[in-house]
Coordinates of all heavy atoms in Angstrom, one line a residue:
L339 N 113.4 53.6 113.4 CA 113.3 53.4 114.8 C 113.4 51.9 115.1 O 112.6 51.1 114.7 CB 112.0 54.0 115.4 CG 111.7 53.8 116.8 CD1 112.8 54.4 117.7 CD2 110.4 54.4 117.2
I340 N 114.5 51.6 115.9 CA 114.7 50.2 116.3 C 114.3 50.1 117.7 O 114.9 50.8 118.6 CB 116.1 49.8 116.0 CG1 116.4 49.8 114.5 CG2 116.4 48.4 116.5 CD1 117.9 49.6 114.2
N341 N 113.4 49.2 118.0 CA 112.9 49.1 119.4 C 112.9 47.6 119.8 O 112.1 46.8 119.4 CB 111.5 49.6 119.5 CG 111.0 49.6 120.9 OD1 111.8 49.4 121.9 ND2 109.7 49.7 121.1
I342 N 114.0 47.2 120.4 CA 114.2 45.8 120.8 C 114.1 45.6 122.3 O 114.9 46.2 123.0 CB 115.5 45.2 120.2 CG1 115.6 45.4 118.7 CG2 115.7 43.8 120.6 CD1 114.7 44.5 117.9
F343 N 113.3 44.7 122.7 CA 113.2 44.4 124.1 C 113.7 42.9 124.2 O 113.0 42.0 123.9 CB 111.8 44.5 124.7 CG 111.8 44.4 126.2 CD1 112.0 45.5 127.0 CD2 111.5 43.1 126.8 CE1 112.0 45.3 128.4 CE2 111.5 43.0 128.2 CZ 111.8 44.1 129.0
G344 N 115.0 42.8 124.5 CA 115.6 41.5 124.5 C 115.1 40.5 125.6 O 115.5 40.6 126.7
G345 N 114.3 39.6 125.2 CA 113.8 38.6 126.1 C 114.4 37.3 125.6 O 115.4 36.8 126.1
I346 N 113.8 36.8 124.5 CA 114.4 35.6 123.9 C 115.5 36.1 122.9 O 116.6 35.5 122.9 CB 113.3 34.8 123.1 CG1 112.2 34.4 124.1 CG2 113.9 33.7 122.3 CD1 111.0 33.8 123.5
V347 N 115.2 37.1 122.2 CA 116.2 37.6 121.2 C 117.3 38.3 122.0 O 117.1 39.0 123.0 CB 115.5 38.5 120.2 CG1 115.0 39.8 120.8 CG2 116.5 38.8 119.0
K348 N 118.5 38.2 121.5 CA 119.7 38.8 122.1 C 119.9 40.2 121.4 O 120.1 40.2 120.2 CB 120.9 38.0 122.1 CG 120.8 36.7 122.9 CD 122.2 36.0 122.9 CE 122.2 34.7 123.6 NZ 121.8 33.6 122.7
C349 N 120.0 41.2 122.2 CA 120.3 42.6 121.6 C 121.5 42.6 120.8 O 121.6 43.3 119.7 CB 120.3 43.6 122.7 SG 118.7 43.9 123.5
D350 N 122.6 41.9 121.2 CA 123.8 42.0 120.4 C 123.7 41.3 119.0 O 124.4 41.7 118.1 CB 125.0 41.4 121.2 CG 124.8 40.0 121.6 OD1 123.7 39.6 122.0 OD2 125.8 39.2 121.5
V351 N 122.8 40.3 118.9 CA 122.6 39.7 117.6 C 122.0 40.7 116.7 O 122.3 40.8 115.5 CB 121.7 38.4 117.8 CG1 121.3 37.9 116.5 CG2 122.5 37.3 118.6
V352 N 121.0 41.4 117.3 CA 120.3 42.5 116.5 C 121.4 43.5 116.0 O 121.4 43.9 114.9 CB 119.2 43.1 117.3 CG1 118.6 44.3 116.5 CG2 118.1 42.1 117.6
A353 N 122.2 44.0 117.0 CA 123.2 45.0 116.7 C 124.1 44.5 115.6 O 124.4 45.2 114.6 CB 124.0 45.3 117.9
E354 N 124.6 43.2 115.7 CA 125.5 42.6 114.6 C 124.8 42.6 113.3 O 125.4 42.9 112.2 CB 125.8 41.2 115.0 CG 126.9 41.1 116.0 CD 127.2 39.7 116.5 OE1 126.5 38.8 116.0 OE2 128.1 39.5 117.3
G355 N 123.5 42.3 113.3 CA 122.7 42.3 112.0 C 122.6 43.6 111.4 O 122.8 43.8 110.2
I356 N 122.4 44.7 112.2 CA 122.3 46.0 111.7 C 123.6 46.5 111.1 O 123.7 47.0 110.0 CB 121.9 47.0 112.8 CG1 120.5 46.6 113.3 CG2 121.9 48.4 112.4 CD1 120.1 47.3 114.6
I357 N 124.7 46.2 111.8 CA 126.0 46.6 111.4 C 126.3 45.9 110.0 O 126.8 46.5 109.1 CB 127.1 46.3 112.4 CG1 126.9 47.2 113.6 CG2 128.5 46.4 111.9 CD1 127.6 46.8 114.9
K358 N 126.0 44.6 110.0 CA 126.2 43.8 108.7 C 125.5 44.4 107.5 O 126.1 44.6 106.5 CB 125.8 42.4 108.9 CG 126.0 41.4 107.7 CD 125.5 40.0 108.2 CE 125.7 39.0 107.1 NZ 125.2 39.2 105.8
A359 N 124.2 44.8 107.8 CA 123.4 45.3 106.7 C 124.0 46.7 106.2 O 124.1 46.9 105.0 CB 122.0 45.5 107.1
V360 N 124.4 47.5 107.2 CA 124.9 48.8 106.8 C 126.2 48.7 106.1 O 126.5 49.4 105.1 CB 125.0 49.7 108.1 CG1 125.7 51.0 107.8 CG2 123.6 49.9 108.7
E361 N 127.1 47.8 106.5 CA 128.3 47.5 105.8 C 128.1 47.2 104.4 O 128.8 47.5 103.5 CB 129.2 46.4 106.5 CG 129.9 47.0 107.7 CD 130.5 45.9 108.6 OE1 130.3 44.7 108.3 OE2 131.2 46.2 109.5
E362 N 127.0 46.4 104.1 CA 126.7 45.9 102.8 C 126.0 46.9 101.9 O 126.3 47.0 100.7 CB 125.9 44.6 102.9 CG 126.7 43.4 103.3 CD 125.9 42.2 103.6 OE1 124.8 42.0 103.1 OE2 126.4 41.3 104.4
V363 N 125.1 47.6 102.5 CA 124.3 48.6 101.6 C 124.4 50.0 102.0 O 124.0 50.9 101.2 CB 122.8 48.2 101.5 CG1 122.6 46.8 100.9 CG2 122.2 48.2 102.9
G364 N 125.1 50.3 103.1 CA 125.2 51.7 103.5 C 123.9 52.3 104.0 O 122.8 51.8 103.8
V365 N 124.0 53.4 104.8 CA 122.8 54.0 105.3 C 123.1 55.5 105.4 O 124.1 55.9 105.9 CB 122.3 53.4 106.6 CG1 123.4 53.5 107.7 CG2 121.0 54.1 107.1
N366 N 122.1 56.3 104.9 CA 122.3 57.8 105.0 C 121.1 58.5 105.6 O 120.9 59.6 105.4 CB 122.7 58.4 103.6 CG 121.7 57.9 102.6 OD1 120.6 57.5 102.9 ND2 122.1 58.1 101.3
I367 N 120.4 57.7 106.4 CA 119.3 58.3 107.1 C 119.5 58.0 108.6 O 120.2 57.1 109.0 CB 117.9 57.8 106.7 CG1 117.9 56.2 106.7 CG2 117.5 58.2 105.3 CD1 116.5 55.6 106.5
P368 N 118.9 58.9 109.5 CA 119.1 58.7 110.9 C 118.5 57.3 111.4 O 117.4 56.9 111.0 CB 118.4 59.9 111.6 CG 117.7 60.6 110.5 CD 118.1 60.1 109.2
V369 N 119.2 56.7 112.3 CA 118.8 55.4 112.9 C 118.7 55.7 114.5 O 119.7 56.0 115.1 CB 119.7 54.3 112.6 CG1 119.2 53.0 113.2 CG2 119.8 54.1 111.1
I370 N 117.5 55.5 115.0 CA 117.3 55.7 116.4 C 117.1 54.4 117.1 O 116.3 53.6 116.6 CB 116.1 56.6 116.7 CG1 116.3 58.0 116.1 CG2 115.9 56.8 118.2 CD1 115.8 58.2 114.7
V371 N 117.9 54.1 118.1 CA 117.9 52.7 118.6 C 117.5 52.7 120.1 O 118.1 53.5 120.9 CB 119.3 52.1 118.5 CG1 119.2 50.6 119.0 CG2 119.7 52.1 117.0
R372 N 116.6 51.9 120.5 CA 116.3 51.6 121.9 C 116.4 50.1 122.1 O 115.7 49.3 121.5 CB 114.9 52.0 122.2 CG 114.5 51.6 123.6 CD 113.0 51.9 123.9 NE 112.6 51.5 125.2 CZ 111.9 50.5 125.6 NH1 111.4 49.7 124.6 NH2 111.6 50.3 126.8
L373 N 117.5 49.8 122.8 CA 117.8 48.3 123.1 C 117.7 48.1 124.6 O 118.4 48.8 125.3 CB 119.2 47.9 122.6 CG 119.4 48.0 121.1 CD1 120.9 47.8 120.8 CD2 118.6 46.9 120.4
K374 N 116.9 47.2 125.0 CA 116.8 46.9 126.4 C 116.8 45.4 126.6 O 116.4 44.6 125.8 CB 115.4 47.4 126.9 CG 115.3 48.9 127.0 CD 115.4 49.3 128.5 CE 115.2 50.8 128.6 NZ 115.6 51.3 129.9
G375 N 117.3 45.0 127.8 CA 117.2 43.5 128.1 C 118.4 42.7 127.7 O 119.6 43.3 127.7
N376 N 118.2 41.5 127.4 CA 119.2 40.5 127.1 C 120.4 41.0 126.3 O 120.2 41.3 125.1 CB 118.5 39.3 126.4 CG 119.3 38.1 126.4 OD1 120.5 38.1 126.9 ND2 118.7 37.0 125.9
N377 N 121.6 41.1 126.9 CA 122.8 41.6 126.2 C 122.8 43.0 125.6 O 123.4 43.3 124.7 CB 123.2 40.6 125.1 CG 123.8 39.3 125.6 OD1 123.9 39.1 126.8 ND2 124.2 38.4 124.7
S378 N 122.0 43.9 126.3 CA 121.9 45.2 125.7 C 123.2 46.0 125.8 O 123.5 46.8 124.9 CB 120.7 46.0 126.3 OG 120.9 46.1 127.7
E379 N 123.9 45.8 126.9 CA 125.2 46.5 127.1 C 126.2 46.1 126.0 O 126.8 47.0 125.4 CB 125.9 46.2 128.4 CG 125.1 46.8 129.7 CD 124.1 45.8 130.2 OE1 124.0 44.7 129.6 OE2 123.4 46.1 131.1
K380 N 126.2 44.8 125.7 CA 127.1 44.3 124.7 C 126.7 45.0 123.3 O 127.6 45.4 122.5 CB 126.9 42.8 124.6 CG 128.2 42.0 124.2 CD 127.9 40.6 124.4 CE 128.8 39.7 123.5 NZ 128.4 38.3 123.7
A381 N 125.4 45.0 123.1 CA 124.9 45.6 121.8 C 125.3 47.1 121.7 O 125.7 47.5 120.7 CB 123.4 45.5 121.8
Q382 N 125.2 47.8 122.8 CA 125.5 49.2 122.9 C 126.9 49.4 122.5 O 127.2 50.3 121.7 CB 125.3 49.7 124.3 CG 124.9 51.2 124.5 CD 123.6 51.5 123.8 OE1 122.6 50.7 123.9 NE2 123.5 52.6 123.1
I383 N 127.8 48.6 123.0 CA 129.3 48.7 122.7 C 129.5 48.5 121.2 O 130.2 49.2 120.6 CB 130.1 47.8 123.6 CG1 130.0 48.2 125.1 CG2 131.6 47.8 123.2 CD1 130.5 47.2 126.1
L384 N 128.9 47.4 120.7 CA 129.0 47.1 119.3 C 128.6 48.3 118.4 O 129.3 48.6 117.5 CB 128.1 45.9 118.9 CG 128.7 44.5 119.3 CD1 127.6 43.5 119.1 CD2 129.9 44.2 118.4
L385 N 127.5 48.9 118.8 CA 127.0 50.0 117.9 C 127.9 51.2 118.1 O 128.2 51.9 117.1 CB 125.5 50.3 118.3 CG 124.5 49.3 117.9 CD1 123.1 49.6 118.5 CD2 124.4 49.1 116.4
E386 N 128.3 51.5 119.3 CA 129.1 52.7 119.5 C 130.5 52.6 118.9 O 131.0 53.6 118.4 CB 129.3 52.9 121.0 CG 128.1 53.7 121.6 CD 128.0 53.6 123.1 OE1 129.0 53.2 123.8 OE2 127.0 53.9 123.7
T387 N 131.0 51.4 118.8 CA 132.4 51.3 118.2 C 132.3 51.0 116.7 O 133.3 51.0 116.0 CB 133.1 50.1 118.9 OG1 132.3 48.9 118.8 CG2 133.5 50.4 120.3
S388 N 131.1 50.9 116.2 CA 130.9 50.8 114.7 C 131.0 52.2 114.1 O 130.9 53.2 114.8 CB 129.6 50.2 114.3 OG 128.6 51.1 114.5
S389 N 131.1 52.3 112.8 CA 131.2 53.6 112.1 C 129.8 54.2 112.0 O 129.7 55.3 111.4 CB 131.9 53.4 110.8 OG 131.1 52.5 110.0
L390 N 128.8 53.5 112.5 CA 127.5 54.0 112.3 C 127.1 55.2 113.0 O 127.5 55.4 114.2 CB 126.5 52.9 112.7 CG 126.3 51.7 111.8 CD1 125.5 50.7 112.5 CD2 125.6 52.3 110.6
N391 N 126.3 56.0 112.4 CA 125.8 57.2 113.1 C 124.4 56.8 113.7 O 123.4 57.0 113.1 CB 125.6 58.3 112.0 CG 125.0 59.6 112.7 OD1 125.1 59.7 113.9 ND2 124.5 60.4 111.9
I392 N 124.5 56.3 114.9 CA 123.3 55.8 115.6 C 123.0 56.7 116.8 O 123.9 57.1 117.6 CB 123.5 54.3 116.0 CG1 123.4 53.5 114.7 CG2 122.5 53.9 117.0 CD1 123.2 52.1 114.9
I393 N 121.7 56.9 117.0 CA 121.3 57.7 118.1 C 120.6 56.7 119.1 O 119.6 56.1 118.8 CB 120.3 58.8 117.7 CG1 120.9 59.7 116.6 CG2 119.7 59.6 118.9 CD1 120.0 60.2 115.6
S394 N 121.3 56.6 120.3 CA 120.7 55.7 121.3 C 119.8 56.5 122.2 O 120.1 57.6 122.6 CB 121.9 55.1 122.1 OG 122.4 54.1 121.4

Side-chain angles (χ1 to χ4, degrees):
L339 176 58
I340 296 173
N341 184 18
I342 301 291
F343 190 85
I346 297 169
V347 66
K348 294 191 184 83
C349 291
D350 59 320
V351 170
V352 174
E354 282 175 357
I356 295 166
I357 293 167
K358 180 175 181 312
V360 174
E361 278 169 356
E362 287 170 24
V363 297
V365 59
N366 49 19
I367 54 173
V369 180
I370 300 93
V371 182
R372 174 188 181 250
L373 293 169
K374 288 258 182 190
N376 199 355
N377 285 1
S378 62
E379 292 87 2
K380 211 166 154 189
Q382 206 65 39
I383 295 166
L384 280 170
L385 291 174
E386 275 163 16
T387 53
S388 75
S389 58
L390 279 173
N391 179 19
I392 285 197
I393 301 148
S394 282

